[in-house]
Amino acid sequence: MYLTRVHLNEKRRGTMRALSCPAMIHGAVESAFPGERRRRLWRIDRMEDVWYLLVLSEDKPDMKNVVDQFGFPGEAPQWETRSYEPLLNRIQPQSNWHFRLTANPTRSSAAEAGSGGRGKVHNHVTIEQQKKWLMDRAESHGFRLNEDDFTITFREWNVFHKKGNRGPKVSILSVTYEGNLTVTDTEQFCDTLTEGIGRGKAYGMGMLTVATPRGNNHE
């Protein structure tokens, strides 16, 4: 597995359009890999006034198209790619990590009797619902989470068309969580890091990343 980071140029008109239309970023990410199209985890991060695109993939990408559209073509390096294996090898039971996750917290309701259709998907819209959504999923994803150990740092609705102006309209709620967690199951947690959490992965949701908490020397 590889983690790639691209510095985005928010002063470019195309970049600002793409930041509000995740389908554009999704298409650019897929163009970085030859052959069969596979869904890769990706996320937009903002560090103070700097924007980054993070991509997690099984193969090394060629991000030239992404840089040409949304980055700094004259910058060196134009993108950074690092092996994800050293991090995965450091995951141990009861280890503590600082995490960041951008996700689409939802719930599904059963279809009405006799309708023959699928149930509806509803977004969780309150902070309490959104925090509970993540806490309810922690155990099955290999980690423990206390309510006081994390917070919601950003929430945003993205409304866009799947395929330019011709495709169906999509409304997706993006919620960014940040805080501390404890690993309870190494295998499950590594699967979570590489496969993500929740819905909307094609649109930049579900990618969980971790870093060593400050002052923690467990590694």
Side-chain angles (χ1 to χ4, degrees):
M1 299 295 295
Y2 296 92
L3 182 65
T4 299
R5 187 175 76 168
V6 181
H7 182 192
L8 301 179
N9 185 351
E10 75 282 0
K11 295 182 179 180
R12 298 178 65 174
R13 183 178 300 177
T15 303
M16 297 312 296
R17 284 185 57 216
L19 291 176
S20 62
C21 182
M24 293 178 63
I25 302 288
H26 171 64
V29 168
E30 291 304 312
S31 73
F33 300 90
E36 179 184 358
R37 291 174 66 93
R38 297 198 304 270
R39 184 163 296 174
R40 282 94 180 176
L41 291 177
W42 63 271
R43 186 178 79 208
I44 299 294
D45 269 359
R46 183 175 183 177
M47 307 293 185
E48 296 183 351
D49 293 328
V50 181
W51 295 82
Y52 293 101
L53 168 66
L54 300 180
V55 179
L56 186 65
S57 58
E58 295 180 358
D59 307 312
K60 285 186 177 181
D62 179 355
M63 306 299 285
K64 185 179 185 304
N65 187 41
V66 174
V67 172
D68 288 345
Q69 291 186 74
F70 313 122
F72 295 84
E75 188 178 85
Q78 294 186 349
W79 67 86
E80 299 176 277
T81 299
R82 296 183 180 181
S83 173
Y84 214 49
E85 298 305 323
L87 172 66
L88 296 177
N89 291 336
R90 289 167 52 199
I91 303 299
Q92 299 294 330
Q94 304 308 313
S95 58
N96 299 311
W97 298 88
H98 182 81
F99 78 91
R100 178 176 290 181
L101 166 70
T102 296
N104 173 226
T106 61
R107 64 177 178 86
S108 298
S109 60
E112 296 182 3
S115 67
R118 296 181 178 180
K120 292 184 178 181
V121 176
H122 304 274
N123 289 280
H124 288 303
V125 295
T126 70
I127 290 178
E128 291 76 14
Q129 291 171 340
Q130 292 161 359
K131 293 189 72 172
K132 185 176 185 301
W133 175 88
L134 184 57
M135 292 184 66
D136 287 346
R137 282 152 182 77
E139 182 178 355
S140 64
H141 286 83
F143 62 95
R144 182 171 62 250
L145 197 59
N146 296 319
E147 185 176 2
D148 296 334
D149 289 342
F150 74 104
T151 188
I152 291 173
T153 61
F154 188 72
R155 303 191 299 167
E156 179 182 43
W157 279 98
N158 287 310
V159 181
F160 56 94
H161 293 273
K162 279 189 175 182
K163 298 180 180 179
N165 292 324
R166 295 174 296 175
K169 183 177 287 187
V170 176
S171 298
I172 190 165
L173 178 62
S174 170
V175 178
T176 299
Y177 303 84
E178 193 163 351
N180 297 305
L181 58 77
T182 301
V183 176
T184 55
D185 186 300
T186 300
E187 184 176 354
Q188 281 186 333
F189 189 69
C190 287
D191 287 345
T192 299
L193 289 177
T194 56
E195 297 174 9
I197 300 176
R199 301 168 59 90
K201 295 182 178 68
Y203 304 121
M205 308 295 158
M207 183 178 180
L208 175 73
T209 56
V210 295
T212 306
R214 291 181 180 178
N216 190 313
N217 297 316
H218 74 265
E219 81 270 36

